[in-house]
Every structure is written in structure tokens, then in C-alpha cells.
Amino acid sequence: MTIKLYCMGESGNAYKAALALELSGLDWEPVYVDFFGGETRTDAFREINVMGEVPVLVDGYTTLTQSGVMQMYITEKTGKFGGATPEEQREVMRWVFWDNHKLSSQAGMTRFLMNFLPADKRPADVIGFTQGRLKAAYTALNEHLEGRDWIVGNGITNADMSCCGYLFYPEPFGFDRAEWPNIDRWLSNIENTPGWKHPYDLMPGSPADRA
Amino acid sequence: MTIKLYCMGESGNAYKAALALELSGLDWEPVYVDFFGGETRTDAFREINVMGEVPVLVDGYTTLTQSGVMQMYITEKTGKFGGATPEEQREVMRWVFWDNHKLSSQAGMTRFLMNFLPADKRPADVIGFTQGRLKAAYTALNEHLEGRDWIVGNGITNADMSCCGYLFYPEPFGFDRAEWPNIDRWLSNIENTPGWKHPYDLMPGSPADRA
């Protein structure tokens, strides 16, 4: 049975699950959700997910939301990306939680405010504030990656696929990988992983479609 | 060996781990961190946690950060609070991630900005913006709790102990439990759990100490 991922290319949270699915070798397909047309705010969609959020993963009778849970599920099914020892497993989860709390949540919101809202509706104070918080997050990640190829252990894990969620997007939100040498090198390691695809190549939907 | 939790009463993220430790019956003790005096910004503290955050849990040779990871660890050690079936386990993790992403992260920041910054440094636009996002989060949680005593299954789990992290604090941040009847009832269920303690009773440090 083919796993379905309800998603759109613009969502870095969806990308975290899509990339894990793609690199895991599981049989999956993306199903486009018209987020910008309001689909996630419909009753039909909220029946699938009271949180009203993309992505949603459907595998037979199993329906999951929250990219972190999907990554754990893919690890459960394939044994991949979860860390090799109990210590590594905890360290992977630590960075996935940190990403949800401090990095992707703020990066996704800031990118949305700066690119997907009409120019006269962009709250400058909020954007400045979240960019300040993001700078602290980039600093912590860049420091951790000093001397490391991957966030945990010797290969790509859910920690990498979570933290990179918004970092490949071209739309400006205040992140310039050239300013963060360890992050830049690590992102190249991810890009060089066999099977890697950019979010706009892995999932349907991109700003170009609405241009 | 007694588990040590580096924490302070003001931290709802620390409370999530402290409450799980307390209700689990594990042998633990809180170690006060002088967050407001700058302790988490010292090199010594950042050596323990590059993320520069409280809480930190130390159990013998195991050092953990991120409250979600601590809750998973307590579940691993005791079999408690993680959900009874694979479906419940995923549902627990789903709400813990959602809380980290949408509820506690925003509530903690908003409470900090409104109460722990000097009055002339409080960014009104940012506070208004995060309160709007929080309202959407309270709505999703309140809706999910319709007809339910607990977020998942028939008893308290990590999902409850994560989502309630900031909701017992007296300092104003725009949350009034009387406005959310299902959340209010659910918080009472948590308060009535044998062994339950308020964050300021469970951990050292409170605004009263600095008054």
C-alpha cells in the first residue's frame, strides 16, 4: 500500500516527512493540499486534523500528523534515521524537539510573514523579533556542527531532516547559509545524499505556480 | 541514584519534566538554576547544553535536554505516561510535538515578554501577534478536549504534562482558563491527580523570590 503524504512544496514541515519518506525507500506519493486556497481551514480537512495543519500522513488505517511523529513512524518501519544506540536515539529526538521549538517553527513563520503575506500586511516588529530569535538558533546549530558532518553520529538522521526543513528555500527570511560555515557544509552533506531532492522538486506546489 | 533536574520554578518547560518525575515515583531532586541572574548564558552551563536552555536532566552518566526527551526517558524507565498502544503512543507524541511547536513555545515567550522584561522593553506588536497565534492553539486544544478527560486515552500522559506546562502560572499572558471550558475541566483533572503540585511548589525559584 502506497503511503500518502498530504502536503505542499512550500511547507518545510511537510518537507521533513517527505524527505525521510524519499530517502527511506518506502513507497509513497504526495497529495497536494491547496493551503493558500484555504483547504486546511475547511471542515473536511479539520476532520482529518483538528490542528488544521499540513502535513498529514496516511498509511492504510493509520493517520498521522506532526512531522516529528511521521519521522518516528518511518524509523519504526525501516530502522533508518533514528540513531544507532539509545544515546544516539535520545540525541536525535533532542534536536527534533529543539527544531520544532526554536528553529523551524520560527523560520517557517518568518518566511511566511515576509513572502506569503501581502506587502502591506507584513508586521515589521514581529519579523525583526523572530529574526533575532532565529539568529540565536543558527548560532547554537552552527556551534554544534563544528567538527561534525551530521547533527548526530556518522550519517543522516531525523535530526538533520528536521533542522534543514526550511533552510533550502530560496525565499528570503533572514537566513544566509554563507554566514554560517558549519551549517553551510552540513547542508551540502544533505544535498549530496543519494536521492536528495529540493522541497519544490519533491512535493507539488511552489510560489512559481501562483506567479 | 537520585536524578537531578536543573530547573527553576518559572520555567514551564522544566515543569513538564518535573511533574512527570514527581508523578512517576522516581527518586529525583531539583537543582536551582539562576536563569534570571544569567547562569544559562555562562560557558559552564553551555558546556552542559549548547542550546543554553533549562531544563537539564542528569541521571548518572546520562545528561538530557529538551523536556520532550526527558518525558520519553521517564516513560522508558517506568512504563508510565507514554500511551497504552502503538496508536496511543503516536497520539501522545503528536500532542507533545504540537505543544512544543504551537502552545508552550508561544505561551512561554509571551509570558516572559509580558512579565519578566522591564515595562518599557515589552514589544506590544510581538505580544499581540503571539497572543493571536495562542488563541488558535487554545481553540484546537479546547476542541480536542470536548468529551475527553485527558488528551489521549483514559489517564494522564506526557501529552497532558506537556500541554499544561505554562497553563497553571498566575502571571498574565492572555490565557484565562474560564474562557475555555474544556481546557478548564482538563486542568482540574490534572490538579486532582494524586501527587500533583503547582510549578512554584515543585521547583525552587519564583517571582516572589525577586520581589
Side-chain angles (χ1 to χ4, degrees), chain A residues 33-88:
Chain A
V33 176
D34 185 12
F35 175 84
F36 293 93
E39 186 174 344
T40 56
R41 294 189 299 275
T42 61
D43 289 347
F45 191 86
R46 289 186 74 94
E47 199 143 308
I48 302 175
N49 184 7
V50 69
M51 297 164 182
E53 295 172 337
V54 163
V56 175
L57 183 151
V58 178
D59 184 17
Y61 292 107
T62 300
T63 298
L64 304 176
T65 74
Q66 293 292 317
S67 62
V69 176
M70 296 175 195
Q71 291 187 334
M72 291 175 77
Y73 182 74
I74 294 162
T75 293
E76 209 180 285
K77 282 187 88 122
T78 66
K80 294 178 181 172
F81 313 138
T85 63
E87 289 69 32
E88 281 193 13

Short mmCIF file of all heavy atoms in Angstrom, two decimals, chain A residues 33-88:
data_model
loop_
_atom_site.label_atom_id
_atom_site.label_comp_id
_atom_site.label_asym_id
_atom_site.label_seq_id
_atom_site.Cartn_x
_atom_site.Cartn_y
_atom_site.Cartn_z
N VAL A 33 -2.15 19.68 -1.17
CA VAL A 33 -3.14 20.38 -0.36
C VAL A 33 -3.08 21.87 -0.74
O VAL A 33 -2.01 22.47 -0.71
CB VAL A 33 -2.86 20.22 1.15
CG1 VAL A 33 -3.85 21.05 1.98
CG2 VAL A 33 -2.92 18.76 1.55
N ASP A 34 -4.22 22.43 -1.08
CA ASP A 34 -4.25 23.83 -1.53
C ASP A 34 -4.33 24.76 -0.32
O ASP A 34 -5.34 25.42 -0.08
CB ASP A 34 -5.45 24.04 -2.46
CG ASP A 34 -5.46 25.45 -3.05
OD1 ASP A 34 -4.44 26.16 -2.92
OD2 ASP A 34 -6.50 25.83 -3.63
N PHE A 35 -3.21 24.80 0.43
CA PHE A 35 -3.15 25.61 1.65
C PHE A 35 -3.48 27.08 1.36
O PHE A 35 -4.26 27.71 2.07
CB PHE A 35 -1.73 25.51 2.23
CG PHE A 35 -1.49 26.39 3.43
CD1 PHE A 35 -1.85 25.97 4.69
CD2 PHE A 35 -0.90 27.64 3.28
CE1 PHE A 35 -1.62 26.77 5.80
CE2 PHE A 35 -0.66 28.45 4.39
CZ PHE A 35 -1.02 28.02 5.65
N PHE A 36 -2.90 27.62 0.31
CA PHE A 36 -3.09 29.04 0.03
C PHE A 36 -4.50 29.35 -0.47
O PHE A 36 -4.96 30.47 -0.40
CB PHE A 36 -2.00 29.56 -0.93
CG PHE A 36 -0.64 29.54 -0.29
CD1 PHE A 36 0.20 28.45 -0.43
CD2 PHE A 36 -0.23 30.60 0.49
CE1 PHE A 36 1.45 28.43 0.19
CE2 PHE A 36 1.02 30.58 1.11
CZ PHE A 36 1.86 29.50 0.96
N GLY A 37 -5.20 28.31 -0.96
CA GLY A 37 -6.60 28.45 -1.34
C GLY A 37 -7.54 28.18 -0.17
O GLY A 37 -8.75 28.21 -0.33
N GLY A 38 -6.98 27.90 1.02
CA GLY A 38 -7.82 27.78 2.22
C GLY A 38 -8.22 26.35 2.57
O GLY A 38 -9.01 26.14 3.49
N GLU A 39 -7.65 25.35 1.89
CA GLU A 39 -8.12 23.97 2.11
C GLU A 39 -7.95 23.50 3.57
O GLU A 39 -8.79 22.76 4.08
CB GLU A 39 -7.40 23.01 1.15
CG GLU A 39 -7.93 21.58 1.21
CD GLU A 39 -7.31 20.67 0.15
OE1 GLU A 39 -6.70 21.17 -0.81
OE2 GLU A 39 -7.43 19.44 0.31
N THR A 40 -6.86 23.93 4.22
CA THR A 40 -6.64 23.45 5.60
C THR A 40 -7.62 24.07 6.59
O THR A 40 -7.72 23.63 7.73
CB THR A 40 -5.20 23.73 6.09
OG1 THR A 40 -4.94 25.14 5.98
CG2 THR A 40 -4.18 22.96 5.28
N ARG A 41 -8.33 25.12 6.15
CA ARG A 41 -9.31 25.73 7.06
C ARG A 41 -10.73 25.19 6.85
O ARG A 41 -11.66 25.61 7.51
CB ARG A 41 -9.30 27.26 6.89
CG ARG A 41 -7.97 27.90 7.33
CD ARG A 41 -8.03 29.42 7.37
NE ARG A 41 -8.31 30.03 6.09
CZ ARG A 41 -7.39 30.31 5.16
NH1 ARG A 41 -6.12 30.04 5.38
NH2 ARG A 41 -7.73 30.87 4.02
N THR A 42 -10.89 24.24 5.92
CA THR A 42 -12.21 23.66 5.68
C THR A 42 -12.54 22.63 6.75
O THR A 42 -11.65 22.04 7.38
CB THR A 42 -12.28 22.95 4.31
OG1 THR A 42 -11.31 21.88 4.30
CG2 THR A 42 -11.96 23.92 3.17
N ASP A 43 -13.86 22.39 6.95
CA ASP A 43 -14.30 21.37 7.91
C ASP A 43 -13.77 20.00 7.52
O ASP A 43 -13.38 19.21 8.38
CB ASP A 43 -15.82 21.33 7.99
CG ASP A 43 -16.38 22.56 8.68
OD1 ASP A 43 -15.58 23.30 9.31
OD2 ASP A 43 -17.59 22.80 8.60
N ALA A 44 -13.77 19.72 6.22
CA ALA A 44 -13.34 18.39 5.76
C ALA A 44 -11.89 18.13 6.16
O ALA A 44 -11.54 17.05 6.64
CB ALA A 44 -13.48 18.30 4.23
N PHE A 45 -11.04 19.16 6.03
CA PHE A 45 -9.64 18.96 6.39
C PHE A 45 -9.47 18.89 7.90
O PHE A 45 -8.70 18.09 8.43
CB PHE A 45 -8.76 20.07 5.80
CG PHE A 45 -7.30 19.75 5.93
CD1 PHE A 45 -6.65 18.98 4.98
CD2 PHE A 45 -6.57 20.19 7.03
CE1 PHE A 45 -5.30 18.65 5.12
CE2 PHE A 45 -5.23 19.87 7.18
CZ PHE A 45 -4.59 19.10 6.21
N ARG A 46 -10.21 19.73 8.64
CA ARG A 46 -10.09 19.72 10.10
C ARG A 46 -10.61 18.43 10.71
O ARG A 46 -10.25 18.07 11.83
CB ARG A 46 -10.78 20.95 10.72
CG ARG A 46 -10.01 22.23 10.43
CD ARG A 46 -10.60 23.43 11.16
NE ARG A 46 -10.31 23.42 12.58
CZ ARG A 46 -9.26 24.05 13.13
NH1 ARG A 46 -8.42 24.71 12.38
NH2 ARG A 46 -9.06 23.99 14.43
N GLU A 47 -11.44 17.71 9.96
CA GLU A 47 -11.87 16.40 10.44
C GLU A 47 -10.68 15.43 10.42
O GLU A 47 -10.55 14.58 11.29
CB GLU A 47 -13.01 15.88 9.56
CG GLU A 47 -13.80 14.78 10.23
CD GLU A 47 -15.28 14.91 9.88
OE1 GLU A 47 -15.84 16.01 10.05
OE2 GLU A 47 -15.85 13.91 9.42
N ILE A 48 -9.81 15.59 9.43
CA ILE A 48 -8.58 14.77 9.39
C ILE A 48 -7.62 15.25 10.47
O ILE A 48 -6.97 14.48 11.15
CB ILE A 48 -7.88 14.88 8.01
CG1 ILE A 48 -8.83 14.45 6.89
CG2 ILE A 48 -6.60 14.06 7.98
CD1 ILE A 48 -8.24 14.65 5.50
N ASN A 49 -7.53 16.56 10.66
CA ASN A 49 -6.55 17.10 11.61
C ASN A 49 -7.10 18.34 12.31
O ASN A 49 -7.14 19.42 11.74
CB ASN A 49 -5.26 17.47 10.86
CG ASN A 49 -4.19 17.96 11.82
OD1 ASN A 49 -4.36 17.90 13.04
ND2 ASN A 49 -3.09 18.43 11.28
N VAL A 50 -7.51 18.15 13.58
CA VAL A 50 -8.08 19.25 14.37
C VAL A 50 -7.08 20.40 14.48
O VAL A 50 -7.45 21.56 14.66
CB VAL A 50 -8.51 18.77 15.78
CG1 VAL A 50 -7.31 18.41 16.62
CG2 VAL A 50 -9.35 19.81 16.49
N MET A 51 -5.78 20.08 14.35
CA MET A 51 -4.77 21.12 14.42
C MET A 51 -4.78 21.99 13.14
O MET A 51 -4.17 23.04 13.11
CB MET A 51 -3.38 20.49 14.64
CG MET A 51 -3.25 19.73 15.97
SD MET A 51 -1.81 18.61 16.01
CE MET A 51 -1.98 17.84 17.64
N GLY A 52 -5.50 21.53 12.09
CA GLY A 52 -5.62 22.32 10.87
C GLY A 52 -4.30 22.51 10.13
O GLY A 52 -4.09 23.51 9.47
N GLU A 53 -3.40 21.54 10.28
CA GLU A 53 -2.06 21.73 9.75
C GLU A 53 -1.69 20.69 8.69
O GLU A 53 -2.15 19.55 8.74
CB GLU A 53 -1.02 21.61 10.88
CG GLU A 53 -1.13 22.70 11.92
CD GLU A 53 -0.23 22.44 13.11
OE1 GLU A 53 0.14 21.28 13.38
OE2 GLU A 53 0.10 23.42 13.79
N VAL A 54 -0.81 21.08 7.80
CA VAL A 54 -0.11 20.19 6.89
C VAL A 54 1.25 19.92 7.52
O VAL A 54 1.80 20.83 8.17
CB VAL A 54 0.05 20.90 5.52
CG1 VAL A 54 1.12 20.24 4.67
CG2 VAL A 54 -1.29 20.96 4.80
N PRO A 55 1.84 18.74 7.36
CA PRO A 55 1.42 17.58 6.59
C PRO A 55 0.53 16.62 7.38
O PRO A 55 0.48 16.67 8.61
CB PRO A 55 2.75 16.90 6.28
CG PRO A 55 3.59 17.19 7.49
CD PRO A 55 3.19 18.58 7.92
N VAL A 56 -0.15 15.75 6.61
CA VAL A 56 -0.86 14.60 7.18
C VAL A 56 -0.36 13.38 6.42
O VAL A 56 -0.29 13.42 5.19
CB VAL A 56 -2.39 14.74 7.04
CG1 VAL A 56 -3.10 13.48 7.52
CG2 VAL A 56 -2.91 15.97 7.79
N LEU A 57 -0.03 12.32 7.15
CA LEU A 57 0.42 11.08 6.52
C LEU A 57 -0.63 10.00 6.71
O LEU A 57 -1.12 9.80 7.83
CB LEU A 57 1.76 10.64 7.12
CG LEU A 57 2.45 9.40 6.54
CD1 LEU A 57 3.97 9.51 6.70
CD2 LEU A 57 1.96 8.11 7.21
N VAL A 58 -1.00 9.33 5.62
CA VAL A 58 -1.98 8.25 5.71
C VAL A 58 -1.35 6.97 5.16
O VAL A 58 -0.89 6.94 4.02
CB VAL A 58 -3.27 8.59 4.94
CG1 VAL A 58 -4.27 7.42 5.00
CG2 VAL A 58 -3.92 9.86 5.51
N ASP A 59 -1.31 5.96 6.03
CA ASP A 59 -0.76 4.66 5.65
C ASP A 59 -1.80 3.60 6.04
O ASP A 59 -1.87 3.17 7.19
CB ASP A 59 0.56 4.41 6.40
CG ASP A 59 1.23 3.10 5.98
OD1 ASP A 59 0.88 2.56 4.92
OD2 ASP A 59 2.12 2.64 6.72
N GLY A 60 -2.64 3.23 5.07
CA GLY A 60 -3.73 2.30 5.39
C GLY A 60 -4.65 2.93 6.42
O GLY A 60 -5.17 4.02 6.22
N TYR A 61 -4.82 2.25 7.56
CA TYR A 61 -5.71 2.77 8.59
C TYR A 61 -5.02 3.75 9.54
O TYR A 61 -5.64 4.26 10.46
CB TYR A 61 -6.30 1.60 9.41
CG TYR A 61 -7.25 0.75 8.59
CD1 TYR A 61 -6.89 -0.52 8.15
CD2 TYR A 61 -8.51 1.24 8.24
CE1 TYR A 61 -7.76 -1.29 7.39
CE2 TYR A 61 -9.39 0.49 7.48
CZ TYR A 61 -9.01 -0.78 7.06
OH TYR A 61 -9.88 -1.54 6.31
N THR A 62 -3.75 3.98 9.34
CA THR A 62 -3.00 4.87 10.22
C THR A 62 -2.94 6.28 9.64
O THR A 62 -2.52 6.46 8.50
CB THR A 62 -1.56 4.34 10.41
OG1 THR A 62 -1.62 3.04 10.99
CG2 THR A 62 -0.75 5.26 11.31
N THR A 63 -3.40 7.26 10.42
CA THR A 63 -3.31 8.66 10.02
C THR A 63 -2.46 9.40 11.05
O THR A 63 -2.72 9.31 12.25
CB THR A 63 -4.70 9.31 9.95
OG1 THR A 63 -5.47 8.63 8.95
CG2 THR A 63 -4.61 10.79 9.59
N LEU A 64 -1.43 10.09 10.57
CA LEU A 64 -0.52 10.77 11.49
C LEU A 64 -0.43 12.24 11.14
O LEU A 64 -0.44 12.62 9.97
CB LEU A 64 0.90 10.18 11.38
CG LEU A 64 1.07 8.68 11.61
CD1 LEU A 64 2.53 8.30 11.36
CD2 LEU A 64 0.66 8.30 13.03
N THR A 65 -0.30 13.08 12.16
CA THR A 65 0.11 14.46 11.92
C THR A 65 1.30 14.76 12.81
O THR A 65 1.63 13.98 13.70
CB THR A 65 -1.03 15.48 12.17
OG1 THR A 65 -1.23 15.64 13.57
CG2 THR A 65 -2.32 15.04 11.51
N GLN A 66 1.94 15.88 12.56
CA GLN A 66 3.20 16.30 13.18
C GLN A 66 4.37 15.56 12.52
O GLN A 66 4.51 14.34 12.65
CB GLN A 66 3.21 16.11 14.71
CG GLN A 66 2.24 17.02 15.45
CD GLN A 66 2.63 18.50 15.38
OE1 GLN A 66 3.79 18.84 15.53
NE2 GLN A 66 1.67 19.37 15.13
N SER A 67 5.21 16.32 11.85
CA SER A 67 6.31 15.73 11.09
C SER A 67 7.23 14.88 11.98
O SER A 67 7.75 13.86 11.53
CB SER A 67 7.13 16.82 10.39
OG SER A 67 7.70 17.70 11.34
N GLY A 68 7.40 15.28 13.24
CA GLY A 68 8.26 14.51 14.15
C GLY A 68 7.72 13.10 14.37
O GLY A 68 8.48 12.13 14.46
N VAL A 69 6.40 12.98 14.47
CA VAL A 69 5.77 11.67 14.65
C VAL A 69 5.92 10.84 13.38
O VAL A 69 6.18 9.63 13.43
CB VAL A 69 4.28 11.84 15.03
CG1 VAL A 69 3.58 10.49 15.12
CG2 VAL A 69 4.15 12.60 16.34
N MET A 70 5.79 11.48 12.23
CA MET A 70 5.97 10.76 10.95
C MET A 70 7.39 10.23 10.83
O MET A 70 7.60 9.10 10.40
CB MET A 70 5.68 11.71 9.78
CG MET A 70 4.24 12.18 9.77
SD MET A 70 3.96 13.41 8.48
CE MET A 70 2.37 14.04 9.04
N GLN A 71 8.35 11.05 11.22
CA GLN A 71 9.75 10.59 11.16
C GLN A 71 9.95 9.39 12.08
O GLN A 71 10.63 8.42 11.71
CB GLN A 71 10.69 11.73 11.55
CG GLN A 71 10.74 12.85 10.51
CD GLN A 71 11.80 13.88 10.82
OE1 GLN A 71 12.18 14.07 11.98
NE2 GLN A 71 12.29 14.56 9.80
N MET A 72 9.36 9.42 13.28
CA MET A 72 9.47 8.28 14.19
C MET A 72 8.83 7.03 13.58
O MET A 72 9.32 5.91 13.75
CB MET A 72 8.79 8.60 15.53
CG MET A 72 9.51 9.65 16.36
SD MET A 72 8.55 10.09 17.87
CE MET A 72 8.90 8.66 18.91
N TYR A 73 7.72 7.23 12.87
CA TYR A 73 7.00 6.12 12.24
C TYR A 73 7.84 5.50 11.12
O TYR A 73 7.92 4.28 10.99
CB TYR A 73 5.67 6.66 11.71
CG TYR A 73 4.75 5.64 11.08
CD1 TYR A 73 4.06 4.73 11.86
CD2 TYR A 73 4.55 5.63 9.70
CE1 TYR A 73 3.19 3.82 11.28
CE2 TYR A 73 3.68 4.72 9.11
CZ TYR A 73 3.00 3.81 9.91
OH TYR A 73 2.14 2.91 9.34
N ILE A 74 8.46 6.35 10.33
CA ILE A 74 9.33 5.86 9.24
C ILE A 74 10.51 5.08 9.82
O ILE A 74 10.91 4.04 9.31
CB ILE A 74 9.78 7.05 8.36
CG1 ILE A 74 8.57 7.66 7.65
CG2 ILE A 74 10.86 6.64 7.36
CD1 ILE A 74 8.79 9.07 7.11
N THR A 75 11.05 5.59 10.93
CA THR A 75 12.14 4.88 11.61
C THR A 75 11.66 3.52 12.12
O THR A 75 12.35 2.51 11.97
CB THR A 75 12.66 5.73 12.79
OG1 THR A 75 13.29 6.90 12.24
CG2 THR A 75 13.66 4.97 13.65
N GLU A 76 10.46 3.50 12.69
CA GLU A 76 9.87 2.26 13.20
C GLU A 76 9.72 1.23 12.07
O GLU A 76 10.02 0.05 12.24
CB GLU A 76 8.48 2.64 13.73
CG GLU A 76 7.91 1.84 14.86
CD GLU A 76 6.53 2.42 15.19
OE1 GLU A 76 6.45 3.50 15.82
OE2 GLU A 76 5.53 1.80 14.79
N LYS A 77 9.28 1.69 10.91
CA LYS A 77 9.03 0.78 9.78
C LYS A 77 10.31 0.32 9.09
O LYS A 77 10.35 -0.76 8.51
CB LYS A 77 8.16 1.47 8.72
CG LYS A 77 6.70 1.53 9.08
CD LYS A 77 5.84 2.05 7.92
CE LYS A 77 5.39 0.96 7.00
NZ LYS A 77 3.92 0.84 6.86
N THR A 78 11.35 1.16 9.10
CA THR A 78 12.53 0.86 8.27
C THR A 78 13.81 0.67 9.09
O THR A 78 14.82 0.21 8.55
CB THR A 78 12.80 2.02 7.29
OG1 THR A 78 13.17 3.19 8.04
CG2 THR A 78 11.58 2.32 6.43
N GLY A 79 13.79 1.08 10.34
CA GLY A 79 15.01 1.03 11.14
C GLY A 79 16.01 2.13 10.80
O GLY A 79 17.11 2.18 11.36
N LYS A 80 15.62 3.03 9.89
CA LYS A 80 16.56 4.08 9.46
C LYS A 80 16.35 5.41 10.18
O LYS A 80 15.24 5.74 10.57
CB LYS A 80 16.37 4.32 7.95
CG LYS A 80 16.78 3.12 7.10
CD LYS A 80 16.52 3.39 5.62
CE LYS A 80 16.89 2.15 4.78
NZ LYS A 80 16.49 2.28 3.38
N PHE A 81 17.41 6.19 10.25
CA PHE A 81 17.38 7.62 10.62
C PHE A 81 17.11 7.91 12.09
O PHE A 81 16.98 9.07 12.47
CB PHE A 81 16.36 8.40 9.77
CG PHE A 81 16.42 8.12 8.31
CD1 PHE A 81 15.24 7.97 7.57
CD2 PHE A 81 17.64 8.03 7.66
CE1 PHE A 81 15.30 7.73 6.19
CE2 PHE A 81 17.70 7.80 6.28
CZ PHE A 81 16.51 7.64 5.56
N GLY A 82 16.99 6.88 12.93
CA GLY A 82 16.61 7.13 14.32
C GLY A 82 17.77 7.17 15.29
O GLY A 82 17.58 7.48 16.46
N GLY A 83 19.00 6.87 14.81
CA GLY A 83 20.13 6.77 15.73
C GLY A 83 20.46 5.32 16.01
O GLY A 83 19.56 4.48 16.07
N ALA A 84 21.77 5.03 16.22
CA ALA A 84 22.23 3.63 16.29
C ALA A 84 22.19 3.06 17.71
O ALA A 84 22.13 1.85 17.88
CB ALA A 84 23.65 3.54 15.73
N THR A 85 22.23 3.91 18.71
CA THR A 85 22.26 3.45 20.11
C THR A 85 21.19 4.23 20.88
O THR A 85 20.70 5.26 20.40
CB THR A 85 23.63 3.76 20.74
OG1 THR A 85 23.78 5.20 20.76
CG2 THR A 85 24.78 3.15 19.97
N PRO A 86 20.85 3.77 22.10
CA PRO A 86 19.89 4.56 22.89
C PRO A 86 20.35 6.01 23.08
O PRO A 86 19.53 6.92 23.01
CB PRO A 86 19.84 3.81 24.23
CG PRO A 86 20.20 2.40 23.89
CD PRO A 86 21.19 2.49 22.76
N GLU A 87 21.65 6.21 23.26
CA GLU A 87 22.16 7.58 23.43
C GLU A 87 21.91 8.40 22.15
O GLU A 87 21.47 9.53 22.21
CB GLU A 87 23.67 7.57 23.73
CG GLU A 87 24.03 7.07 25.12
CD GLU A 87 23.79 5.57 25.31
OE1 GLU A 87 23.92 4.80 24.32
OE2 GLU A 87 23.44 5.15 26.43
N GLU A 88 22.23 7.77 21.01
CA GLU A 88 22.01 8.50 19.75
C GLU A 88 20.52 8.75 19.51
O GLU A 88 20.13 9.80 19.00
CB GLU A 88 22.59 7.71 18.56
CG GLU A 88 24.09 7.84 18.42
CD GLU A 88 24.60 7.31 17.08
OE1 GLU A 88 23.80 7.06 16.17
OE2 GLU A 88 25.83 7.16 16.97
#
